[in-house]
């Protein structure tokens, strides 16, 4: 097996564009790739452009009638069928929408194939992580669910146990739905509480269908949760479950919208904690999945200050070439930011924080703490199904 990491990139993924004023501005993708290049990480990784996902691949998750509806909306956006979630404010139809969404899906599927076949240990598609798309509907800026398609492709190739860990601020509802009744897939989502954020799902009581009990895991974090609580919750839930589940591959989604600058949500996580979460996922892949790690992007709407830095750190971790958080952001990249957005780019690869958290097992449970209440609710709901004490 090659020790090199693979970065999935095709400039055409920036064609996934819902139009002016939409929060998911594709400039966040091109700025991320330019920052990756500014740090020379494209030389430390094998950069590959996969083919768009074909219909047989899309049907691993999506219904044929929905694929047909996406194609029709791509040909005539004005005729988009809103019963499929298309042509809505969240998911406006645009020309060639099918092609752009299928291209992003193809990158995630290609990443999964490369890792499963042993061509590389780690593969990254930061354009992916579109985790809200349902088998028969677009949702939450997501047309095709590339994350679910990557997992489904791993199963098709013979994987018997795949773990999916989602640290986006929003619940990974589409991936959970795709594998709700499949005991071969463990889906873990840490997200802002459904009382205060779309899609209003992801309660700890959502644990999987009969026969797959305990394979859907949801940690619903109180609005305002910051670095210490976010990292405490992650480490209180994810490592023990992965040790019990013993996945052959770890797929992770790294939406950057947990950040305190993100305009669409209410957690207060720093870039520095996001980097530590990426490092933790990398370590867990080596500890529990033979090093096989597929990592994806996701949400993130602070498109200059947060997203490019967060996903450049993700790429750097995957490449084995971590970027010093204190390093100055390359001047040529900041020039590109100003040219493209007329905004001033960040100066360093850090928010200037050194996050610390208390270990849940070592420090004990505080019944008056809302974060600890959330963690314990999840542990009580799913840990017994894995033979673990809550």
């Amino acid at each position: 097996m090659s020790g090199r990491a693979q970065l999935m990139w095709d400039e055409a993924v920036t064609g996934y564009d819902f139009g002016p004023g939409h929060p998911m501005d594709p400039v966040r993708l091109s700025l991320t790739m330019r920052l990756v290049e500014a740090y020379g990480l494209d030389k430390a990784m094998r950069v590959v452009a996969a083919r768009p996902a074909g219909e047989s691949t899309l049907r691993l998750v999506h219904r044929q009638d929905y694929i047909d509806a996406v194609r029709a909306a791509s040909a005539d956006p004005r005729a988009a069928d809103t019963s499929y979630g298309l042509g809505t404010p969240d998911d406006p139809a645009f020309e060639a929408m099918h092609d752009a969404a299928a291209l992003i899906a193809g990158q995630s599927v290609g990443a999964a194939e490369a890792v499963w076949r042993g061509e590389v240990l780690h593969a990254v598609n930061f354009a992916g992580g579109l985790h809200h798309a349902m088998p028969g509907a677009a949702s939450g800026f997501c047309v095709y669910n590339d994350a679910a398609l990557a997992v489904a492709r791993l199963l098709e190739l013979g994987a018997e146990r795949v773990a999916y860990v989602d640290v986006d601020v929003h619940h990974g509802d589409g991936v959970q739905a795709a594998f709700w009744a499949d005991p071969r897939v463990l889906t873990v989502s840490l997200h802002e509480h459904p009382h205060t954020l779309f899609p209003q799902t992801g309660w700890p009581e959502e644990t999987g269908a009969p026969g797959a009990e305990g394979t859907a895991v949801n940690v619903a974090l109180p609005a305002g949760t910051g670095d210490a609580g976010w990292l405490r919750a992650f480490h209180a839930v994810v490592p023990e479950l992965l040790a019990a589940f013993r996945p052959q591959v770890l797929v992770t989604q790294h939406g950057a919208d947990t950040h305190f600058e993100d305009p669409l949500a209410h957690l207060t996580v720093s870039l520095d904690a996001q980097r530590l979460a990426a490092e933790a996922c990398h370590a867990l892949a080596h500890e529990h999945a033979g090093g096989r790690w597929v990592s994806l992007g996701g949400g993130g709407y602070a498109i200059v200050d947060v997203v490019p830095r967060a996903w450049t750190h993700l790429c750097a971790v995957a490449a084995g070439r971590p970027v010093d958080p204190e390093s100055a952001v390359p001047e040529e990249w900041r020039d590109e930011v100003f040219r493209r957005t007329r905004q001033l780019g960040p100066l360093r690869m850090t928010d200037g924080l050194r996050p610390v958290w208390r270990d849940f097992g070592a420090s004990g449970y505080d019944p008056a703490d809302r974060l600890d209440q959330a963690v314990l609710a999840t542990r009580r709901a799913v840990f017994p199904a894995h033979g673990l004490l809550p």
Side-chain angles (χ1 to χ4, degrees):
M1 175 181 289
S2 168
R4 293 190 65 190
Q6 184 161 297
L7 175 60
M8 312 302 299
W9 178 252
D10 184 324
E11 202 75 34
V13 297
T14 60
Y16 190 82
D17 185 355
F18 291 113
H22 193 282
M24 188 173 268
D25 188 333
V27 75
R28 69 195 192 120
L29 301 178
S30 55
L31 288 179
T32 299
M33 189 60 190
R34 302 293 86 80
L35 188 56
V36 164
E37 292 166 346
Y39 274 102
L41 295 171
D42 56 320
K43 304 297 191 295
M45 308 174 80
R46 187 166 69 179
V47 180
V48 174
R51 293 179 299 178
E55 290 217 356
S56 62
T57 297
L58 294 173
R59 284 198 302 269
L60 293 174
V61 168
H62 294 290
R63 300 196 317 249
Q64 184 65 52
D65 62 309
Y66 173 62
I67 299 169
D68 293 342
V70 174
R71 284 190 176 278
S74 300
D76 183 2
R78 295 169 298 177
D81 188 339
T82 56
S83 69
Y84 290 102
L86 301 167
T88 64
D90 272 4
D91 297 277
F94 59 93
E95 289 186 9
M97 178 172 61
H98 166 82
D99 297 336
L103 182 62
I104 290 175
Q107 306 315 303
S108 293
V109 170
E113 291 171 345
V115 168
W116 181 254
R117 290 170 176 160
E119 298 167 13
V120 289
L121 267 180
H122 311 326
V124 182
N125 176 27
F126 59 74
L130 304 181
H131 59 171
H132 294 307
M134 293 291 175
S139 177
F141 314 162
C142 306
V143 175
Y144 293 137
N145 196 320
D146 65 283
L149 288 164
V151 173
R153 180 65 174 137
L154 288 166
L155 298 176
E156 187 180 48
L157 290 171
E160 297 174 348
R161 294 179 310 282
V162 180
Y164 171 79
V165 176
D166 188 320
V167 297
D168 192 288
V169 79
H170 301 91
H171 177 223
D173 57 339
V175 185
Q176 175 179 287
F179 304 106
W180 181 251
D182 194 332
R184 298 173 296 172
V185 181
L186 176 72
T187 64
V188 185
S189 179
L190 289 89
H191 49 266
E192 185 179 326
H193 199 283
H195 267 320
T196 54
L197 194 66
F198 174 89
Q200 282 78 51
T201 58
W203 301 84
E205 296 80 13
E206 298 171 31
T207 60
E213 297 92 346
T215 59
V217 182
N218 290 289
V219 188
L221 302 169
T225 297
D227 289 358
W230 192 66
L231 292 168
R232 176 174 170 83
F234 179 97
H235 288 283
V237 172
V238 177
E240 288 180 74
L241 286 173
L242 292 185
F245 189 71
R246 298 179 299 110
Q248 293 162 295
V249 187
L250 177 62
V251 180
T252 58
Q253 195 267 22
H254 297 264
D257 43 9
T258 52
H259 195 272
F260 55 77
E261 288 187 18
D262 197 89
L264 299 189
H266 318 98
L267 296 191
T268 58
V269 174
S270 72
L271 179 75
D272 302 284
Q274 292 174 338
R275 176 178 53 81
L276 291 179
E279 291 178 351
C281 289
H282 176 233
L284 289 166
H286 281 277
E287 188 171 353
H288 301 298
R292 289 179 288 272
W293 182 32
V294 177
S295 58
L296 310 172
Y301 310 100
I303 60 173
V304 168
D305 283 346
V306 179
V307 172
R309 292 188 298 163
W311 294 345
T312 296
H313 278 304
L314 176 65
C315 291
V317 170
R321 288 263 305 273
V323 171
D324 181 357
E326 297 295 332
S327 68
V329 172
E331 189 66 32
E332 67 268 24
W333 183 79
R334 298 184 71 245
D335 291 342
E336 176 74 359
V337 166
F338 188 77
R339 186 184 70 80
R340 296 288 300 275
T341 69
R342 289 299 183 259
Q343 296 182 45
L344 297 176
L347 295 172
R348 293 188 299 159
M349 291 294 287
T350 177
D351 285 331
L353 301 175
R354 290 181 170 81
V356 294
W357 71 95
R358 295 178 301 122
D359 180 78
F360 190 81
S363 65
Y365 163 63
D366 180 355
D369 185 271
R370 292 174 62 216
L371 186 282
D372 279 10
Q373 291 169 11
V375 168
L376 192 60
T378 300
R379 290 172 63 106
R380 283 175 171 162
V382 297
F383 272 37
H386 297 272
L388 301 170
L389 294 174

